[in-house]
Amino acid sequence: MTQGVVFITGATSGFGRAAARRFARSGWPLVLTGRRSERLHTLKQELEGQTRVHTLTLDVRDAEAVREAVESLPEAFGSIRTLINNAGLALAPEPAQRVALEDWHTMIDTNVTGLVNVTHALIERLIATGSGASIINLGSIAGQWPYPGSHVYGASKAFVQQFSYNLRCDLLGTGVRVTDLAPGIAETEFTLVRTKGDQTASDALYRDTTPLEAADIAEQLYYIATLPDHININRLEVMPTRQAWSPFAVDRDG
C-alpha cells in the first residue's frame, strides 16, 4: 500500500477524533475538519508530533465553503488517498409526530447534504490517486434496521448506504473503493447531541452493558483503508456482542 493523505470530517469528537489518532499512529498525513476550532487546534497539537496535520474549520453543510477549503489545500495535503465521511448527527429521539421540522432539516443537511458536498469536492482527487483510494462513509445500523424515534436519522443513514452502493457502480474502473461502515450502539457524544445535552439519558443508554467505543470503529476504518488495493468491502455492519435485534412490535387491543 502506498500511503497518502486521509481526509476526515467531524474530527473534533467521537469516531472522527479516534480515527485521526489511529491514522496518526501509523504516520498518515491528516486533513481534519470540524466546526469547533478550539478542538481542532488541540487535536492538531496532540498529533503533529506523529505526522503532518492540516486543519479546516468547516461546516460540511456549506457547499461553497467545502469547495473553497478543498481547493485551498496545501500541496503537501493535496493527494487524498482516503476520505472518511464521518460528520453527522442524530436529533430528536421522540416519535416523529412530536419532532420539530428544524431538527429533521438539520439531520438531512448534515448527514446527507454535507456528505454529498464533501464527496463531490474530493472525488476527482481520489480518482487521480487511483488504485487503493477509498471513500468510507459512516452509516449506521439505523439505516438498515428501523426503530421508534429513528425517523429522519434512520432515513438519512439509509441514504448513506444506497449512495455508497451507487458510487461503487460509477467508480468501477477507477480503482476507488467505497464502503458503508455501519456501527451499532457506541458510547460517544452521540446521545448527548441527540438529547441536546441530557447526560442522564446518555448514561442510561450505556448503563450495565458493553457498547462499542470510538476506538473500535477507528480500527475498522483503518483496516478498510489499508486493505490490499483489489479488495472492496461494500458494507461493514458492526455491533457490540451484547446488542442484537428485537421482535416485531405489535399493537393489540386492550
Side-chain angles (χ1 to χ4, degrees):
M1 186 199 72
T2 302
Q3 195 174 69
V5 176
V6 57
F7 190 109
I8 305 172
T9 67
T12 55
S13 65
F15 300 152
R17 183 167 58 192
R21 289 168 173 161
R22 179 62 188 88
F23 280 82
R25 287 207 308 272
S26 294
W28 283 58
L30 307 173
V31 177
L32 307 177
T33 84
R35 291 184 297 166
R36 291 173 284 191
S37 300
E38 70 286 352
R39 286 199 179 191
L40 283 175
H41 178 69
T42 299
L43 188 58
K44 180 177 181 178
Q45 286 186 312
E46 174 190 339
L47 300 179
E48 61 188 354
Q50 302 174 64
T51 188
R52 292 181 287 114
V53 182
H54 181 69
T55 59
L56 296 167
T57 302
L58 184 64
D59 186 341
V60 296
R61 298 174 295 180
D62 186 335
E64 185 61 21
V66 170
R67 184 190 63 78
E68 291 177 358
V70 169
E71 289 183 353
S72 69
L73 284 173
E75 184 176 352
F77 294 92
S79 297
I80 309 298
R81 183 176 178 87
T82 298
L83 165 60
I84 298 177
N85 273 316
N86 168 71
L89 78 168
L91 294 171
E94 302 85 8
Q97 60 270 31
R98 297 210 298 265
V99 175
L101 181 60
E102 179 185 359
D103 287 341
W104 278 4
H105 284 172
T106 298
M107 286 186 279
I108 293 168
D109 291 345
T110 307
N111 300 353
V112 176
T113 305
L115 181 146
V116 166
N117 289 342
V118 176
T119 302
H120 191 270
L122 286 172
I123 198 164
E124 291 299 332
R125 290 177 184 254
L126 289 155
I127 291 172
T129 297
S131 184
S134 300
I135 299 172
I136 310 176
N137 297 323
L138 261 296
S140 168
I141 62 170
Q144 183 80 12
W145 310 107
Y147 62 88
S150 185
H151 40 78
V152 164
Y153 175 69
S156 72
K157 293 305 183 177
F159 172 89
V160 173
Q161 177 180 336
Q162 196 62 33
F163 182 59
S164 300
Y165 288 172
N166 290 336
L167 277 177
R168 281 273 289 128
C169 295
D170 291 340
L171 292 171
L172 184 65
T174 67
V176 180
R177 307 176 294 189
V178 187
T179 300
D180 170 30
L181 175 57
I185 185 173
E187 188 168 6
T188 64
E189 294 178 16
F190 177 88
T191 302
L192 274 178
V193 172
R194 190 172 205 180
T195 60
K196 299 183 178 179
D198 187 340
Q199 186 66 56
T200 300
S202 179
D203 292 344
L205 179 64
Y206 307 118
R207 184 179 299 123
D208 299 327
T209 190
T210 310
L212 298 172
E213 298 178 356
D216 299 326
I217 299 305
E219 285 295 337
Q220 299 306 311
L221 290 164
Y222 185 78
Y223 167 71
I224 294 166
T226 56
L227 284 167
D229 293 354
H230 68 285
I231 299 175
N232 190 107
I233 294 179
N234 299 324
R235 186 171 190 271
L236 180 57
E237 185 176 285
V238 184
M239 288 185 183
T241 306
R242 299 183 70 182
Q243 181 182 27
W245 307 274
S246 295
F248 285 110
V250 178
D251 180 32
R252 301 184 187 278
D253 295 331

